[in-house]
Amino acid sequence: MLLGPSLLISAILFAIGVVGVVVRRNAIVMFMCVELMLNAVNLTFVALSRYHGLSGQVMVFFVMTVAAAEAAVGLALVIGLFRHRESLNPDVFTSLKW
């Protein structure tokens, strides 16, 4: 298996995620871009483990578990913030006071 195309696709996905986090001003879209970056890292783990014959799939399961927990906590925070401020623009959330 060639390693180059898999790493190239992973780098492109990670770059799209970074651009999405930096450019977009919606909390849900930002969380989706973070998930895209985590999936790019998963693709890198799988590609490198397949190339070197290691057990990188185990790391992918750990990353997927952390991503699921992050998505659940992030979605709960987004719902709470939207109920309080009725906006998902991160610039509105400048104060930690309710």
Side-chain angles (χ1 to χ4, degrees), residues 12-47:
I12 290 170
L13 287 174
F14 194 84
I16 290 170
V18 169
V19 169
V21 167
V22 171
V23 172
R24 303 298 267 170
R25 301 302 333 158
N26 188 339
I28 293 178
V29 175
M30 291 171 72
F31 280 124
M32 288 173 40
C33 290
V34 169
E35 293 292 327
L36 184 65
M37 291 189 305
L38 287 172
N39 285 330
V41 172
N42 284 341
L43 180 62
T44 302
F45 278 143
V46 170

Side-chain angles (χ1 to χ4, degrees), residues 10 19 27-28 30 44 46 52 57 60 62 64 67 74 76 80 88 95:
S10 177
V19 169
I28 293 178
M30 291 171 72
T44 302
V46 170
H52 292 295
Q57 287 87 356
V60 170
F62 287 131
M64 287 174 66
L88 292 179
S95 174

